[in-house]
């Protein structure tokens, strides 16, 4: 059920979290399926509800860097990134403190933890009032498109308590940087561009192909029902079209990620528009070329996953 943001709904959400139950929580990237990061039962519920493979660890959300001190081992590069980009769409992977009280299930048995401070007033005030850390993957069934509006969450989880926030503004999940090795590695392109991160910590190693380092980065992910055809300058007969920039095509089966080629706007529209076109009864979805710069890298990453053969 969707609950508009009132004091009563806010308090109810906190009671649910304390009881080890889950809520739908808006963040600036996408909606999260949130549970108390210290309760194994809550974490197990997250995996079960999403139908998520248990080898795929979760991101832990807090409202201040200090909230993570007893759980991770900080280093200089992590400090610098946190100072500049938090709160915001950046997740840092750091060595886990052996004494951390967070559910081991949340980090899927790895000796690292993924952490971030979201930049959304509802998420931040909830974290503050809750007074603990919250594990939250995107609030979609595993392998489906991430939710950027509360009703998307409701479509996948009709019984969930969903706290309403304004639409997510970034629209793509956070960028994930692994800082457990000697040089920082980009595990997932996302809401903060590689260039912006490299300006702070120097060159990033390319996304690792190791299944242990980035267990969640399965090739087929964000899978819509319709097959996707990428880099298409126009649709074929029977295809819906996701345009970018000027397009002569208008109509119910064409949506435009950004008429003036603004990558930020395109990122914030991406998942919502894919969901809308996926509801049509056409035979496929063609997508215009998106430049491989800045946020365009993360947009292309999600599109390639959406277009990948299923089950990989
Ligand atoms: O923007 C976001 O990051 C959203 C919002 C809700 O915060 N969350 C999100 O979570 O995208 P999820 O579960 O859909 O993606 C988390 C990714 C997965 O690819 C997972 O494998 C990776 O983070 N991850 C989590 N812990 C990790 C770790 N210790 N080492 C490497 N990758 C990790
Ligand atoms: Mg996800």
């Amino acid at each position: 059920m969707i609950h508009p943001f009132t004091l009563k709904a806010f308090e109810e959400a906190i009671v649910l979290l304390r009881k080890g139950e889950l809520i739908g929580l808006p963040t600036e990237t996408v909606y999260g399926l949130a549970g108390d990061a210290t309760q194994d039962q809550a974490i197990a519920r997250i995996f079960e509800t999403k139908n998520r493979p248990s080898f795929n660890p979760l991101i832990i959300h807090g409202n201040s860097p200090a909230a993570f001190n007893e759980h991770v081992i900080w280093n200089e590069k992590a400090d610098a990134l946190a100072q500049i980009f938090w709160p915001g769409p950046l997740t840092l992977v750091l060595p886990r403190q052996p004494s951390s009280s967070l559910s081991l299930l949340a980090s899927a048995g790895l000796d690292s933890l993924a952490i971030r401070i979201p930049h959304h007033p509802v998420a931040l005030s909830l974290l503050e009032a809750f007074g603990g850390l919250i594990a939250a993957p995107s609030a979609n069934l595993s392998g489906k498109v991430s939710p950027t509006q509360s009703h998307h969450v409701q479509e996948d989880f009709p019984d969930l308590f969903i706290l309403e926030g304004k639409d997510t503004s970034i629209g793509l999940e956070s960028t994930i940087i692994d800082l457990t090795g000697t040089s920082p590695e980009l595990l997932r392109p996302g809401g903060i561009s590689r260039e912006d991160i490299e300006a702070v910590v120097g060159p990033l190693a390319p996304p690792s192909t190791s299944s242990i380092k980035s267990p969640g980065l399965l090739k087929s992910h964000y899978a819509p029902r319709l097959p996707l055809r990428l880099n298409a300058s126009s649709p074929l007969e029977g295809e819906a079209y996701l345009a970018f920039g000027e397009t002569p095509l208008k109509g119910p089966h064409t949506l435009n990620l950004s008429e003036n080629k603004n990558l930020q706007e395109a990122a914030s529209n991406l998942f919502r528009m894919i969901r809308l076109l996926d509801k049509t009864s056409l035979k496929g979805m063609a997508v215009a070329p998106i430049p491989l710069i800045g946020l365009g890298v993360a947009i292309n990453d999600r599109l390639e996953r959406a277009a990948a053969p299923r089950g990989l």
Side-chain angles (χ1 to χ4, degrees):
M1 236 226 351
I2 297 172
H3 296 261
F5 186 69
T6 59
L7 185 60
K8 185 166 166 280
F10 187 73
E11 286 173 352
E12 211 175 319
I14 288 170
V15 170
L16 288 171
L17 288 172
R18 291 208 199 293
K19 283 203 291 200
E21 289 180 27
L22 308 184
I23 63 162
L25 179 70
T27 84
E28 81 284 22
T29 57
V30 299
Y31 273 75
L33 181 65
D36 181 345
T38 60
Q39 293 190 44
D40 283 324
Q41 188 202 359
I43 304 302
R45 277 205 172 116
I46 292 179
F47 282 99
E48 186 185 57
T49 307
K50 270 189 70 110
N51 199 12
R52 181 180 178 109
S54 58
F55 57 78
N56 188 3
L58 308 177
I59 296 174
I60 310 296
H61 300 69
N63 73 333
S64 77
F68 299 112
N69 284 353
E70 61 191 75
H71 304 290
V72 299
I73 301 166
W74 285 97
N75 59 46
E76 238 170 72
K77 287 191 166 139
D79 279 343
L81 289 171
Q83 193 153 13
I84 293 185
F85 296 112
W86 278 359
L90 176 68
T91 293
L92 304 176
V93 176
L94 288 170
R96 179 185 171 117
Q97 293 269 17
S99 57
S100 165
S101 56
L102 298 183
S103 162
L104 285 165
L105 193 56
S107 51
L110 298 178
D111 51 12
S112 58
L113 272 181
I115 57 172
R116 92 174 183 100
I117 303 183
H119 195 188
H120 190 290
V122 173
L124 277 175
S125 43
L126 189 101
L127 280 160
E128 190 173 336
F130 179 62
L133 299 177
I134 285 177
S138 51
N140 50 277
L141 288 166
S142 188
K144 299 288 176 206
V145 177
S146 292
T148 56
Q149 297 181 321
S150 52
H151 73 92
H152 297 158
V153 183
Q154 193 166 36
E155 279 166 27
D156 276 4
F157 309 119
D159 299 330
L160 184 70
F161 182 103
I162 303 160
L163 203 51
E164 170 85 290
K166 274 192 298 193
D167 286 0
T168 56
S169 55
I170 306 283
L172 284 179
E173 301 88 342
S174 58
T175 303
I176 306 181
I177 306 291
D178 183 350
L179 294 154
T180 58
T182 41
S183 53
E185 220 176 83
L186 177 68
L187 293 188
R188 177 175 76 180
I192 292 181
S193 73
R194 175 190 198 118
E195 295 88 328
D196 286 352
I197 291 167
E198 289 187 331
V200 181
V201 291
L204 295 173
S208 166
T209 47
S210 142
S211 59
I212 293 168
K213 278 234 151 150
S214 42
L217 301 182
L218 303 172
K219 194 130 185 90
S220 163
H221 208 83
Y222 309 99
R225 194 178 47 86
L226 294 182
L228 250 70
R229 193 166 64 83
L230 306 185
N231 298 311
S233 48
S234 59
L236 301 172
E237 208 181 304
E239 279 182 333
Y241 191 52
L242 197 50
F244 180 74
E246 266 173 48
T247 168
L249 295 165
K250 296 247 155 65
H253 304 317
T254 295
L255 293 174
N256 203 325
L257 287 168
S258 172
E259 274 176 31
N260 46 22
K261 296 197 167 188
N262 177 322
L263 287 167
Q264 242 163 18
E265 184 185 18
S268 71
N269 281 331
L270 182 71
F271 290 144
R272 180 175 60 83
M273 289 186 172
I274 287 181
R275 278 176 182 260
L276 282 172
L277 293 180
D278 206 28
K279 292 210 162 87
T280 61
S281 53
L282 300 179
K283 67 170 199 257
M285 199 185 300
V287 187
I290 313 289
L292 259 175
I293 44 161
L295 284 184
V297 176
I299 297 174
N300 277 290
D301 170 79
R302 303 307 188 270
L303 285 170
E304 277 159 24
R305 288 173 202 285
R310 306 299 146 86
L312 280 182

